Amino acid sequence: ETVLDIALRRNETGTYIDRLETRSRAAEVSARGRLSSEGGAAEVTARLMDTGVIAEGVPGPLDLSVEAEGEGEVWDVAFVLDGAVLTSTANLQVDLAGDVPRVSGTARVRADDVAPFGPRVGREIGGAVDLSAEGFAATDLGAFEVDLSGTVTDLATGVVEADALLTGPVEVALRGMRGTDGYELSGLAVSGAAVRAEGSGHYRSDGSGVGRVRVTLPEPGRLAPGFPGPRSLSAEAQGGPADWRLVAEVAGEGATAAADLELGLGGGLPRAEGTLTADIADLAPFSELAGRSVGGSLGVEVSGSGVSDLSAFDLEATVSGEDPVSYTHLTLPTSKPKC
């Protein structure tokens, strides 16, 4: 059963909730507050025995407290959610002036096990997170600026390759912004035992943009057993709105690969034109990855163009090694032949 006890009054100075209490098997809630044309204040405390409102499987109980105080159209809100494996805090200022309300402040969430939140994101997940955020956002997300930082530990996403890189504690940080001119990402940094990454970029409202990323894998064998390391990947994409250029390089001891591509994204199927190269000084370290004993050296260069569904392409490839072989100018028509 649910028990409700409330004491409410109103006079020329405003509306007052002197007492509001409700009790059930699922929760206990207590609140009081006041509201007038000049502002107001409210306090809410609750104990949630049924934690399914947060996520099924989160150990209970969870204690919740909210304190809010406002003057005019500006309200300060303090929020605390505390449990055995889940803690969240926030100190926010809500500005209701203007056409779109704006929220600013700080927040932190700590979850010792994110598995119960899997159904919320539609997949099985696991691990722990401790993340903090600071910034502001319009409630319609038409403008925002957020700094995010923290640590994820043994995060499991269900993607084998990602999970292999996210073992142990991994520190993450980024700054994201949106304004009238578009989006901007800066200060992206990921640092863990299996991966280090940094990146930045922007995308303007006219469709132009630039993005840069650098990833270092101290032990790439975590992704592919036998793959020698360490390896680094650097890439830059720039252009817009219809034509982009992508330049990428993979480097490491004894093996390198590079790509320089012009990408056409305006109308019809996406199209790429450019060159791909790879040079491997010694194939022997790749034997486990290949599933057989290999050796010698290998060089590959491919240049040409093609569309994304491979219905048409014009390529020239050169392969060199112990027995150099050249395959030149392979062309397919723009339409598939009739059978």
Side-chain angles (χ1 to χ4, degrees):
E1 64 175 358
T2 299
V3 177
L4 175 64
D5 181 13
I6 184 169
L8 186 67
R9 59 189 172 91
R10 183 178 182 181
N11 56 35
E12 65 278 1
T13 63
T15 301
Y16 298 82
I17 301 176
D18 294 323
R19 182 177 67 256
L20 189 155
E21 296 180 353
T22 179
R23 297 182 299 279
S24 69
R25 292 182 179 179
E28 297 177 356
V29 181
S30 176
R32 63 178 182 173
R34 59 178 175 83
L35 180 64
S36 70
S37 59
E38 297 179 351
E43 296 179 8
V44 179
T45 59
R47 167 159 284 202
L48 306 177
M49 278 71 76
D50 180 3
T51 59
V53 295
I54 306 296
E56 294 291 345
V58 174
L62 292 173
D63 292 316
L64 169 69
S65 68
V66 180
E67 296 183 5
E69 185 171 359
E71 182 174 346
E73 296 183 302
V74 178
W75 285 72
D76 294 314
V77 181
F79 169 95
V80 177
L81 180 68
D82 189 24
V85 299
L86 174 65
T87 300
S88 180
T89 60
N91 290 283
L92 307 174
Q93 185 174 87
V94 182
D95 189 345
L96 303 176
D99 295 334
V100 180
R102 172 183 169 123
V103 180
S104 60
T106 62
R108 180 184 179 185
V109 59
R110 175 190 61 81
D112 294 339
D113 182 10
V114 299
F117 297 92
R120 299 289 192 192
V121 298
R123 68 187 312 156
E124 292 186 2
I125 56 176
V129 301
D130 187 348
L131 300 174
S132 298
E134 180 177 2
F136 78 89
T139 55
D140 65 353
L141 298 184
F144 61 78
E145 181 176 334
V146 178
D147 286 288
L148 177 70
S149 62
T151 303
V152 299
T153 304
D154 293 325
L155 194 63
T157 65
V159 180
V160 175
E161 294 79 5
D163 294 348
L165 299 179
L166 296 175
T167 56
V170 178
E171 296 181 2
V172 297
L174 65 86
R175 166 177 285 188
M177 295 181 286
R178 181 185 181 184
T180 56
D181 194 32
Y183 298 86
E184 184 167 341
L185 175 69
S186 63
L188 172 64
V190 178
S191 180
V195 62
R196 295 190 298 273
E198 57 187 29
S200 62
H202 65 256
Y203 184 77
R204 302 305 185 202
S205 54
D206 63 1
S208 65
V210 61
R212 301 179 181 89
V213 64
R214 180 176 178 83
V215 179
T216 301
L217 304 178
E219 302 175 24
R222 292 175 182 247
L223 289 179
F227 200 81
R231 299 283 148 187
S232 66
L233 163 68
S234 60
E236 178 176 331
Q238 184 171 358
D243 298 310
W244 287 72
R245 184 186 182 192
L246 173 64
V247 178
E249 181 181 19
V250 178
E253 183 178 354
T256 61
D260 190 343
L261 302 174
E262 298 286 344
L263 306 176
L265 306 177
L269 291 171
R271 182 179 181 87
E273 180 176 358
T275 60
L276 302 171
T277 62
D279 290 291
I280 304 175
D282 183 7
L283 288 168
F286 296 86
S287 295
E288 185 174 351
L289 182 62
R292 60 185 300 174
S293 178
V294 295
S297 61
L298 177 68
V300 179
E301 181 176 348
V302 180
S303 61
S305 62
V307 293
S308 59
D309 68 350
L310 300 182
S311 60
F313 58 83
D314 186 348
L315 300 177
E316 181 175 325
T318 301
V319 180
S320 60
E322 293 181 347
D323 298 306
V325 181
S326 179
Y327 303 91
T328 61
H329 214 72
L330 175 62
T331 304
L332 261 63
T334 57
S335 62
K336 297 181 180 179
K338 296 181 179 179
C339 299

